[in-house]
Amino acid sequence: MVEHSASVIVKAPVHQVYELFTHFNDFPKFMSFVKEVTYHDDMRSHWVVKVLGQYEWDAINEDWIPDKQIGWRSTRGLKNTGKVKFHALGPNRTSVDVYIRYTPPTGPLGNLGNHFGANGYFDASLHKDLANFARMVEEAPVGALDPMSSHYLFHEESAARKGDITPRQKAAMERDPMMSPQALSEREAKIAQEATLRQQLAATQATERQRKLESEQARQREQSEILAREAIKRQQEMREREEARRKAASIPLDPRHTYAAWAHGLGDKDGMRARIPNFAQDPMTSRRPRKPVISAKPQGEE
């Protein structure tokens, strides 16, 4: 058997993704290579796909686990089995992993498919339609559990839009109340109205963003002007202080204002005397010491 797999990340809760995927009969409305999915009952369905040739089979559901996994097994036609697993990556992110195994058809059609690289074409088709599923979910209203609520149904590449569906699929769609001309007309009108509302909302948001941007730019300009004025003021003050210091340094000292004059006024006689060189370093020995008085030698000493 040949095995294929594909994965996609869907920006939606796992329960919503699981529920929307189980609507097999809606696959032709947004997928390109699925031409028919009709139900025999709640467990059995009939499938028609077109990948380098048209293939059919009946399938029965098996190994279904709510919000986690669905599986199937063919009972007639192209022999195949498959599983789809759902993993919640977050509140609004779900990983969808598809695994398919099938036995290639024998005879000229199977040989022709192998010659033209049917396996690679099937992989590309599987990835493409899985991406279509992700977009269908993401363009459905929040919490919607019916694919008919999605705006992505009947896009230009879908089998239903191109008319590339089987008569049974067409008849099943015509029996669906949501596919009546009136229902489809109401759906299109609703989609157009919602698109207009989205455009208006986007325009309002763009205007608000522009207003905030202009307000922020004005605030930054005002702040820059304040900083520039403060810098000029500081420079002016520095120049004035420097000029004051320069002028003060150029004025000769008045002898009346020297330390000597001040000390003399206080009666400090030393204030008028020249200091010895080491006065500043050792004030205790700065005075000129008196000459020692040499006394006469005591009697009896030699």
Side-chain angles (χ1 to χ4, degrees):
M1 298 186 75
V2 179
E3 297 184 2
H4 295 274
S5 63
S7 300
V8 71
I9 302 297
V10 185
K11 299 176 183 177
V14 64
H15 177 68
Q16 182 183 20
V17 175
Y18 172 87
E19 288 292 334
L20 290 175
F21 199 96
T22 58
H23 287 254
F24 299 147
N25 61 319
D26 288 319
F27 280 9
K29 299 173 185 176
F30 60 88
M31 290 188 175
S32 58
F33 77 97
V34 179
K35 311 305 177 184
E36 177 191 336
V37 183
T38 52
Y39 297 137
H40 297 306
D41 52 40
D42 291 343
M43 294 293 294
R44 298 178 301 128
S45 55
H46 182 76
W47 293 66
V48 178
V49 300
K50 189 174 183 180
V51 181
L52 290 178
Q54 184 164 295
Y55 306 98
E56 300 186 36
W57 67 88
D58 287 333
I60 185 170
N61 299 341
E62 59 182 17
D63 298 329
W64 282 41
I65 304 174
D67 294 347
K68 293 184 180 296
Q69 175 180 290
I70 64 174
W72 71 89
R73 171 178 52 84
S74 65
T75 59
R76 186 177 65 86
L78 182 69
K79 188 175 181 180
N80 70 93
T81 62
K83 287 184 179 180
V84 181
K85 296 184 178 182
F86 305 86
H87 302 278
L89 304 179
N92 293 295
R93 282 174 59 85
T94 302
S95 171
V96 181
D97 304 303
V98 179
Y99 305 91
I100 298 176
R101 300 178 65 191
Y102 71 95
T103 301
T106 58
L109 186 60
N111 295 333
L112 182 64
N114 291 331
H115 177 72
F116 284 103
N119 289 334
Y121 184 80
F122 182 85
D123 280 337
S125 299
L126 182 60
H127 281 86
K128 180 179 179 180
D129 273 349
L130 200 54
N132 284 332
F133 168 74
R135 184 169 176 182
M136 182 275 292
V137 176
E138 292 168 3
E139 293 196 17
V142 176
L145 302 180
D146 189 335
M148 284 299 295
S149 61
S150 175
H151 297 173
Y152 192 60
L153 294 188
F154 310 109
H155 62 89
E156 293 182 356
E157 295 298 321
S158 66
R161 180 66 175 271
K162 294 187 295 185
D164 194 11
I165 56 177
T166 66
R168 282 190 301 268
Q169 180 70 33
K170 183 177 180 181
M173 291 170 60
E174 290 174 350
R175 291 193 300 269
D176 186 350
M178 298 187 69
M179 290 295 296
S180 67
Q182 180 180 354
L184 291 176
S185 177
E186 292 175 354
R187 178 179 179 275
E188 292 297 328
K190 183 179 179 181
I191 290 175
Q193 181 181 11
E194 291 178 355
T196 301
L197 292 176
R198 285 197 302 272
Q199 292 175 355
Q200 293 175 350
L201 178 60
T204 301
Q205 292 174 340
T207 301
E208 181 63 17
R209 286 194 299 269
Q210 183 64 25
R211 185 192 66 79
K212 289 182 178 180
L213 177 61
E214 293 175 354
S215 176
E216 179 64 18
Q217 290 174 343
R219 188 191 67 80
Q220 291 178 356
R221 286 195 300 270
E222 182 180 359
Q223 185 67 18
S224 298
E225 292 172 358
I226 292 174
L227 294 175
R229 288 196 297 269
E230 291 179 350
I232 293 173
K233 182 179 179 181
R234 286 194 300 270
Q235 292 174 358
Q236 181 65 25
E237 291 174 349
M238 290 176 62
R239 285 195 295 268
E240 291 175 354
R241 287 195 296 269
E242 183 63 26
E243 181 65 17
R245 284 194 295 268
R246 187 185 63 78
K247 289 182 178 180
S250 65
I251 299 175
L253 292 176
D254 189 334
R256 294 173 299 175
H257 299 155
T258 62
Y259 170 76
W262 173 79
H264 180 69
L266 295 178
D268 185 356
K269 295 180 179 180
D270 286 343
M272 300 299 292
R273 297 168 59 186
R275 302 295 184 182
I276 62 176
N278 66 340
F279 172 73
Q281 288 76 23
D282 191 359
M284 297 303 295
T285 60
S286 63
R287 304 294 193 274
R288 294 182 182 275
R290 294 180 180 180
K291 294 181 179 181
V293 178
I294 301 175
S295 61
K297 292 183 179 180
Q299 293 292 333
E301 290 185 4
E302 294 182 0

